[in-house]
């Protein structure tokens, strides 16, 4: 992956401290910068090379040598070379730089974010905010913008008196200066990487509390919405002490700010002491926020606060080790939420979202290892993906179980204390965990991080007296069912085997292509389960004789929710790959008719939706819809439309999910009730419950007309909640009229929708029908120049490419996608294009192979 001619910055001169003063102009969208860098000169040199982009340097001076530099920019490398007349001697140097820059509208670097104030409706105002990860600190100050170049930062902001000014550290002084300005000086940061630096200037309200260790926690919200920060504040003041106790390492800063930003490309960003979020991932309206959104807020807060230790205190040495940051934080956010909100049964959610997503992508020939060589900035953006986050988290979850809770904690403490305020590599983590556990961590884990993919274990058994003798084979699981080219791959697989009598009957490492093991005390009618609770990152394919007792345990509710989820998910993946039968999967799904777990249903819905999209291209799609309606009907009847006093949080989430699915598959009674509730909501006779809004909006529009679309737009334009606006946008493509689909797509590029939310409209159209999918793809091709300019190198552009090229089922469509991106290269989406074209061809094979049998079976239902 890494570009061969890419070079990291020279290390003749490295930073120790940056003293930075910034003056943002919120009317002209510019800023002035004064920077004084204290650096260590390791080898005498005339040249100092830093990263810099979209900055104009007025002067650069070596204070010790009293000499001015010649300034040369290399735009392609995003570097600036300061060349002095005489060499800088070995030792300490101070370099002063005066420069100017722009508050851009690209949601990276130091940028502007538009908002309105409740006391001045209709007046557009702007905040100045930052997003530096991975490589955009260089757009705000000339710096060594690589994670290994850690330094301290002393930040001063000169801003309007009536604006809030925030940075990583606490304010140490505020003084009035000329005009209506104030100079706000912040305490010096710990030693940290440049991508973690942050500052915000704008108008905000806040709520605050102090955690049990004395850390001041504040949640900043848009003006007038302070109370919507209460839920996140409650999560944060529980989360910081949880991590402090878990790692046995104190949070090293005196304060923790969490702030909602109106325009924000990522979901959230872990800037040390000043974490930034999209509004809908931090704010919770007690009336209008559904339960599933509160769950997301809890997870995202847990994720970003985990980074304060794992990523900020100890930082990856280079982006090759990004997974250390993101995989770990994704895993431990679930551990944390399980502690703060046990009612979510969050580990089953982990399986349906992180684990399943990772396995789906990682079965492709165009996947990549967790650890992948990374070169220039375009490649850095590309690895912020499902493999780094979700596979990384899944592998750590497996490792945690294999090592054991206490040895894992002991190893984590050792790692964080040994490398505090420094950089580390994957091998450093393995060494700390190996020392704590006495287990061969590097040997085992390198098979999971240095090669892509994962194994499928084929399991067969025979009864010998009171014992079951199992034969287990491992081979790479491939999405197309063929291991050609991957025959030699194998993993060191931590295996646990459960029986109907013993949840941990046998544990061992499978370090060979195959093995035979004896499980004692197993009767002829007892079941055997490999990988209970889906801890291991692998699939299991049982022989029919071994599977049969498990299906009985599935039907009588003996198996855990995680195992009920895992059984159908493996069966679905095997069928999709041609190893199993799609008809057998449909038969299996019928066993889930009376399933009670929301999260198991969430996984079932994802797999059913994949089959549904496939069968939309057939003449028997209506037969499948009828089958799906029967599957959801008992749950809809049981839960009904209105909440009950006995509802759990997960019951509330399941009600919305099941009603939405029942309606999407065409149940007339469900659709009629949704239309009635939508009409009453629009006419303000009643207010829709937050948990039902997405389902009702989607059904109303899918079965409505242009007037329904106009009503949706009126709702969108009348609310000031970003959460509600996004909820409406994600429904607007759910209609059968191509003219309305086109309106939906045109809206994505209009000023009515924030840039960060444009993709929601495309996503809405992509999931509706084959016709809407083709309309979307034609739209993206036609407007590609606009998309490129609007999103430039942002990861949002890669997401748009993903949405626009997913769901097709013909070779012709795959060729069309490949040709378009051959003619219009998009480096940040290069891997996405390859993965989606591979998926299109897999869909084509799947449809051709299984459609006749599916049609025949559905005709009997």
């Amino acid at each position: 992956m890494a570009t061969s001619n890419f070079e990291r910055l020279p290390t003749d001169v490295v930073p120790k401290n940056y003293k930075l003063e910034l003056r943002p102009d919120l009317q002209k969208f510019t800023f002035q910068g004064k920077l004084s860098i204290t650096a260590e000169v390791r080898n005498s040199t005339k040249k100092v090379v830093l990263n810099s982009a979209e900055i104009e340097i007025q002067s650069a001076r070596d204070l010790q040598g009293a000499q001015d530099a010649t300034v040369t920019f290399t735009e392609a490398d995003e570097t600036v070379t300061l060349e002095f007349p005489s060499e800088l001697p070995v030792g300490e140097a101070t370099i002063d730089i005066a420069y100017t820059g722009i508050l851009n509208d690209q949601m990276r670097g130091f940028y502007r974010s538009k908002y309105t104030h409740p006391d001045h409706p209709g007046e557009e105002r702007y905040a100045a905010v930052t997003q530096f990860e991975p490589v955009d600190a260089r757009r705000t100050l000339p710096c060594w913008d690589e994670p290994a170049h850690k330094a301290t930062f002393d930040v001063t902001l000169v801003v309007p008196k009536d604006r809030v000014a925030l940075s990583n550290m606490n304010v140490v002084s505020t003084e009035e200066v000329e005009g209506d300005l104030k100079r706000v000086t912040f305490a010096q940061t710990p030693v940290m990487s440049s991508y973690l630096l942050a500052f915000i200037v704008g108008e905000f309200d806040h709520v605050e509390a102090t955690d049990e260790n004395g850390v001041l926690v504040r949640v900043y919200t848009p003006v007038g919405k302070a109370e919507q920060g209460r839920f996140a504040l409650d999560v944060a003041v529980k989360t910081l002490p949880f991590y402090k106790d878990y790692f046995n390492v104190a949070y090293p800063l005196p304060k923790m700010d969490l702030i909602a930003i109106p325009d924000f490309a990522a979901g959230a960003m872990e800037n040390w002491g000043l974490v930034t979020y999209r509004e809908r991932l931090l704010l919770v309206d007690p009336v209008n926020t559904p339960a599933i959104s509160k769950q997301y807020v809890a997870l995202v807060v847990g994720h970003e606060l985990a980074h304060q230790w794992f990523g900020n205190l100890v930082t990856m040495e280079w982006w090759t080790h990004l997974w250390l940051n993101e995989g770990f934080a994704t895993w431990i956010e679930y551990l944390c939420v399980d502690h703060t909100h046990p009612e979510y049964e969050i580990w089953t959610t982990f399986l349906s979202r992180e684990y399943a997503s990772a396995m789906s992508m990682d079965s492709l020939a165009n996947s990549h290892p967790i650890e992948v060589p990374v070169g220039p900035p375009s490649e850095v953006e590309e690895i912020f993906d499902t493999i780094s986050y979700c596979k990384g988290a899944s592998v750590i979850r497996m490792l945690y179980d294999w090592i054991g809770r206490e040895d894992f904690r002991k190893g984590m403490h050792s790692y964080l204390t040994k490398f505090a305020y420094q950089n580390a590599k994957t091998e450093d983590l393995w060494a700390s965990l190996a020392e704590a556990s006495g287990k061969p961590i590097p040997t085992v884990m390198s098979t999971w991080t240095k090669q892509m993919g994962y194994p499928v274990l084929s399991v067969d058994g025979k009864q010998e007296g009171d014992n079951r003798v199992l034969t287990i084979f491992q081979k790479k699981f491939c999405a197309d069912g063929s291991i050609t080219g991957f025959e030699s791959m194998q993993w060191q697989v931590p295996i646990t085997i459960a029986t109907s009598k013993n949840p941990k009957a046998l544990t061992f490492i499978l370090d060979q292509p195959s093995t035979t093991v004896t499980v004692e005390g197993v009767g002829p009618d007892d079941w055997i389960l490999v990988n209970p609770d889906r801890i291991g990152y692998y699939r299991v394919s049982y022989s029919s004789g071994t599977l049969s007792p498990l299906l009985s345990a599935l039907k009588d509710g003996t198996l855990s929710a995680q195992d009920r989820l895992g059984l159908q998910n493996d069966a679905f993946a095997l069928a999709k790959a041609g190893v199993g039968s799609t008809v057998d999967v449909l038969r299996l799904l019928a066993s889930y008719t009376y399933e009670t777990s929301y999260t198991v249903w969430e996984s079932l819905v994802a797999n059913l939706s994949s089959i549904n999209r496939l069968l939309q291209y057939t003449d028997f799609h209506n037969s499948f819809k009828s089958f799906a309606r029967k599957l959801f009907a008992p749950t809809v009847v049981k839960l009904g439309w209105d909440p009950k006093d006995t509802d759990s949080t997960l019951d509330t989430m399941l009600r919305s999910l099941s009603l939405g699915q029942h309606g999407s598959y065409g149940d007339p009674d469900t659709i009629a009730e949704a239309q009635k509730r939508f009409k009453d909501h629009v006419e303000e006779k009643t207010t829709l419950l937050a948990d039902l809004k997405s389902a009702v909006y989607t059904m109303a529009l899918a079965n409505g007309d242009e007037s329904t679309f106009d009503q949706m737009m009126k709702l969108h334009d009348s609310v000031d909640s970003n959460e509600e606006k996004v909820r409406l946008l994600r429904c607007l493509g759910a209609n059968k009229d191509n003219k309305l689909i086109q309106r939906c797509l045109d809206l994505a590029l209009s000023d009515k929708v924030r840039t960060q939310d444009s993709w929601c409209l495309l996503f809405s159209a992509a999931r509706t029908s084959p016709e809407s999918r083709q309309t979307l793809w034609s739209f993206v091709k036609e407007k590609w120049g606009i998309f490129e300019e609007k999103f430039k190198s942002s990861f949002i552009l890669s997401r748009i490419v993903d949405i626009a090229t997913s769901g097709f089922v013909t070779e012709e469509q795959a060729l069309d996608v490949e040709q378009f991106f051959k003619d219009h290269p998009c480096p940040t989406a290069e891997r996405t294009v390859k993965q989606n074209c591979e998926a299109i061809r897999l869909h084509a094979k799947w449809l051709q192979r299984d459609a006749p049998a599916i049609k025949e079976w559905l005709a009997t239902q």
Side-chain angles (χ1 to χ4, degrees):
M1 180 178 175
T3 303
S4 58
N5 60 2
F6 172 75
E7 293 183 4
R8 289 163 65 171
L9 293 173
T11 55
D12 293 331
V13 182
V14 294
K16 294 174 66 178
N17 172 264
Y18 299 86
K19 284 185 171 57
L20 173 66
E21 180 177 292
L22 288 173
R23 289 186 175 223
D25 188 321
L26 300 177
Q27 275 73 49
K28 296 179 181 177
F29 306 137
T30 59
F31 62 86
Q32 298 175 348
K34 291 197 299 185
L35 180 63
S36 183
I37 302 172
T38 302
E40 176 190 350
V41 182
R42 294 175 174 175
N43 299 299
S44 58
T45 179
K46 291 183 177 182
K47 294 181 179 181
V48 179
V49 182
L50 305 88
N51 291 113
S52 183
E54 299 172 2
I55 283 174
E56 293 185 9
I57 293 178
Q58 280 77 51
S59 64
R61 184 171 180 80
D62 160 31
L63 294 191
Q64 277 86 345
Q67 53 179 336
D68 295 322
T70 301
V71 178
T72 305
F73 289 95
T74 305
E75 189 171 331
D77 295 337
E78 297 187 340
T79 60
V80 62
T81 301
L82 309 180
E83 185 166 1
F84 295 96
S86 302
E87 287 191 336
L88 301 178
V90 171
E92 189 170 278
T94 304
I95 301 169
D96 280 5
I97 302 174
Y99 64 96
T100 55
I102 58 170
L103 293 174
N104 67 68
D105 61 355
Q106 297 296 312
M107 295 185 289
R108 60 178 181 163
F110 200 16
Y111 69 92
R112 61 186 186 265
S113 178
K114 183 168 63 176
Y115 66 96
T116 56
H117 192 289
D119 295 339
H120 304 276
E123 177 190 338
E124 292 183 352
R125 297 188 174 191
Y126 290 88
V129 302
T130 56
Q131 171 60 35
F132 289 164
E133 189 182 30
V135 289
D136 289 312
R138 64 191 66 180
R139 299 179 196 284
T140 307
L141 68 155
C143 60
W144 286 260
D145 200 12
E146 296 177 355
H149 289 296
K150 290 193 168 188
T152 56
F153 294 82
D154 290 271
V155 174
T156 298
L157 298 176
V158 180
V159 302
K161 290 178 185 176
D162 61 350
R163 296 300 192 261
V164 172
L166 301 171
S167 189
N168 304 79
M169 297 299 290
N170 52 298
V171 174
V172 292
S173 69
T174 302
E175 59 178 322
E176 293 188 5
V177 292
E178 72 278 3
D180 292 322
L181 301 177
K182 62 182 177 182
R183 176 179 282 108
V184 183
T185 302
F186 299 89
Q188 185 178 92
T189 70
V191 174
M192 68 183 197
S193 302
S194 56
Y195 77 87
L196 296 169
L197 183 64
F199 14 89
I200 311 284
V201 180
E203 295 173 284
F204 302 94
D205 284 342
H206 74 271
V207 289
E208 67 179 59
T210 302
D211 80 358
E212 65 184 48
N213 298 307
V215 178
L216 177 63
V217 182
R218 287 177 170 168
V219 176
Y220 285 85
T221 74
V223 174
K225 297 183 179 180
E227 290 307 307
Q228 294 185 25
R230 290 280 176 198
F231 179 78
L233 180 67
D234 181 62
V235 173
V237 297
K238 293 175 182 175
T239 296
L240 283 175
F242 172 80
Y243 288 142
K244 184 260 184 187
D245 293 343
Y246 187 84
F247 297 128
N248 194 21
V249 175
Y251 174 68
L253 275 62
K255 62 94 174 178
M256 166 54 66
D257 294 333
L258 298 81
I259 184 166
I261 304 297
D263 296 289
F264 197 71
M269 175 61 207
E270 67 266 21
N271 316 297
W272 215 351
L274 177 56
V275 181
T276 44
Y277 296 80
R278 284 196 184 194
E279 288 185 4
R280 64 186 179 87
L281 292 179
L282 187 67
L283 306 182
V284 170
D285 183 327
V287 175
N288 293 311
T289 298
I292 193 170
S293 296
K294 290 178 69 175
Q295 186 189 73
Y296 274 121
V297 169
L299 286 167
V300 176
V301 170
H303 182 102
E304 303 308 328
L305 296 192
H307 277 311
Q308 307 304 302
W309 285 263
F310 214 92
N312 299 4
L313 181 64
V314 179
T315 311
M316 75 248 152
E317 191 275 338
W318 183 245
W319 300 105
T320 292
H321 306 280
L322 172 72
W323 87 278
L324 279 180
N325 278 18
E326 301 302 348
F328 185 87
T330 301
W331 168 74
I332 205 168
E333 74 186 61
Y334 283 85
L335 190 73
C336 175
V337 170
D338 189 45
H339 168 76
T340 60
H341 293 82
E343 70 274 14
Y344 288 155
E345 298 177 13
I346 204 69
W347 283 115
T348 315
T349 300
F350 179 91
L351 292 179
S352 74
R353 296 179 192 166
E354 320 301 341
Y355 183 94
S357 297
M359 286 196 144
S360 179
M361 179 177 285
D362 206 23
S363 64
L364 297 175
N366 283 295
S367 182
H368 65 83
I370 285 177
E371 293 184 79
V372 59
V374 177
S378 64
E379 294 182 356
V380 177
E381 291 278 3
E382 202 175 0
I383 62 163
F384 280 80
D385 68 356
T386 300
I387 299 300
S388 293
Y389 284 74
C390 304
K391 181 179 180 179
S394 299
V395 165
I396 287 172
R397 177 171 172 262
M398 176 174 65
L399 173 63
Y400 172 81
D401 183 76
W402 175 48
I403 290 178
R405 174 184 171 87
E406 290 311 312
D407 283 346
F408 189 89
R409 287 182 68 179
K410 192 191 309 179
M412 292 307 308
H413 172 76
S414 171
Y415 172 78
L416 288 170
T417 52
K418 182 176 182 179
F419 294 99
Y421 306 106
Q422 300 177 61
N423 297 84
K425 300 180 180 180
T426 301
E427 291 76 14
D428 298 317
L429 177 60
W430 294 164
S432 294
L433 292 172
E435 184 179 354
S437 67
K439 293 186 175 180
I441 308 295
T443 304
V444 172
M445 296 310 296
S446 63
T447 68
W448 298 95
T449 64
K450 294 186 180 299
Q451 60 182 354
M452 72 177 192
Y454 57 89
V456 55
L457 304 188
S458 298
V459 179
D460 194 8
K462 63 179 179 178
Q463 193 71 25
E464 292 188 357
D466 289 333
N467 301 330
R468 189 77 55 84
V469 179
L470 299 180
T471 304
I472 303 175
F473 292 86
Q474 66 157 302
K475 65 179 180 180
K476 184 182 183 301
F477 179 77
C478 297
D480 64 356
S482 169
I483 64 165
T484 303
F486 302 109
E487 295 91 342
S488 63
M489 291 182 71
Q490 70 176 55
W491 289 259
Q492 298 221 8
V493 188
I495 292 180
T496 298
I497 298 175
T499 73
S500 45
K501 296 174 182 173
N502 187 343
K504 215 165 191 176
L506 193 64
T507 61
F508 63 97
I509 293 286
L510 175 63
D511 57 3
Q512 298 295 326
S514 66
T515 190
T516 299
V517 296
T518 299
V519 186
E520 298 178 346
V522 181
D525 298 326
D526 293 338
W527 50 258
I528 289 274
L529 180 69
V530 177
N531 200 19
D533 291 338
R534 298 288 144 165
I535 297 295
Y537 184 68
Y538 51 88
R539 296 198 186 279
V540 181
S541 175
Y542 295 98
S543 65
S544 58
T546 310
L547 179 62
S548 183
L550 280 173
L551 296 181
S552 298
L554 170 68
K555 291 174 183 176
D556 66 21
T558 303
L559 297 182
S560 70
Q562 290 98 318
D563 290 323
R564 300 197 304 271
L565 185 155
L567 273 177
Q568 62 84 24
N569 207 44
D570 280 354
F572 172 81
L574 291 163
K576 188 175 178 181
V579 179
S581 159
T582 304
V583 168
D584 285 346
V585 171
L586 295 176
R587 287 196 186 100
L588 176 65
L589 295 186
S591 302
Y592 288 81
T593 303
Y594 295 96
E595 175 59 57
T596 58
S597 165
Y598 164 79
T599 313
V600 174
W601 273 114
E602 187 178 58
S603 177
L604 283 163
V605 165
N607 290 333
L608 277 169
S609 296
S610 293
I611 298 174
N612 181 57
R613 282 193 298 273
L614 197 71
L615 299 186
Q616 284 178 332
Y617 293 88
T618 69
D619 60 1
F620 58 92
H621 182 223
N622 284 336
S623 298
F624 177 75
K625 290 168 68 176
S626 175
F627 166 78
R629 289 196 298 272
K630 292 175 186 174
L631 196 59
F632 287 101
T635 303
V636 168
V637 170
K638 177 185 174 185
L639 294 176
W641 278 88
D642 299 311
K644 303 175 179 66
D645 292 340
T646 55
D647 284 348
S648 68
T649 300
L650 296 179
D651 288 336
T652 300
M653 292 160 67
L654 180 54
R655 174 178 294 108
S656 176
L657 180 70
S658 58
L659 285 169
Q661 290 297 307
H662 208 215
S664 74
Y665 286 115
D667 180 72
D669 293 339
T670 304
I671 292 168
E673 181 64 19
Q675 289 175 318
K676 175 184 176 298
R677 290 181 181 241
F678 178 72
K679 182 174 183 291
D680 289 347
H681 179 69
V682 169
E683 294 174 356
E684 299 183 357
K685 293 179 181 176
T686 59
T687 299
L688 268 174
L689 294 173
D691 291 285
L692 295 178
K693 280 184 174 180
S694 288
V696 169
Y697 290 163
T698 301
M699 282 186 271
L701 196 49
N703 298 278
D705 54 21
E706 189 165 12
S707 66
T708 317
F709 191 98
D710 291 339
Q711 288 171 324
M712 292 280 193
M713 285 307 305
K714 187 176 179 181
L715 287 174
H716 174 274
D717 295 345
S718 65
V719 298
D720 70 346
S721 162
N722 177 254
E723 177 185 18
E724 178 72 351
K725 284 182 182 290
V726 169
R727 183 159 43 227
L728 288 156
L729 294 178
R730 290 173 74 106
C731 300
L732 280 178
N735 59 77
K736 302 175 181 70
D737 186 337
N738 198 58
K739 183 177 75 171
L740 297 180
I741 294 288
Q742 194 62 55
R743 277 184 66 183
C744 170
L745 297 177
D746 289 338
L747 189 64
L749 293 177
S750 74
D751 292 337
K752 273 196 161 189
V753 177
R754 290 189 184 272
T755 301
Q756 70 194 28
D757 298 325
S758 297
W759 68 270
C760 297
L761 289 150
L762 310 186
F763 175 76
S764 178
R767 63 182 180 172
T768 300
S769 68
E771 294 76 21
S772 67
R773 242 166 261 142
Q774 191 57 52
T775 299
L776 165 61
W777 173 229
S778 298
F779 177 79
V780 169
K781 288 192 292 184
E782 179 188 346
K783 306 290 186 182
W784 180 249
I786 298 173
F787 279 109
E788 266 196 313
E789 178 60 28
K790 192 176 182 75
F791 300 102
K792 293 190 175 174
S793 61
S794 165
F795 76 90
I796 295 179
L797 187 61
S798 178
R799 177 179 288 178
I800 287 168
V801 171
D802 183 27
I803 292 168
T805 59
S806 296
F808 295 134
V809 298
T810 68
E811 175 65 19
E812 291 74 19
Q813 289 166 320
L815 290 171
D816 183 29
V817 171
E818 286 174 335
Q819 186 60 51
F820 181 80
F821 287 106
K822 182 179 179 182
D823 297 338
H824 305 83
C826 182
T828 57
E830 184 179 341
R831 191 186 300 278
T832 298
V833 171
K834 289 179 180 177
Q835 289 169 339
N836 282 3
C837 287
E838 181 182 351
I840 292 169
R841 292 184 169 103
L842 290 170
H843 291 153
K845 289 180 182 177
W846 187 16
L847 187 61
Q848 183 179 17
R849 181 182 64 240
D850 284 9
I854 297 172
K855 181 177 183 179
E856 182 180 348
W857 184 79
L858 287 173
T860 67
Q861 300 306 297

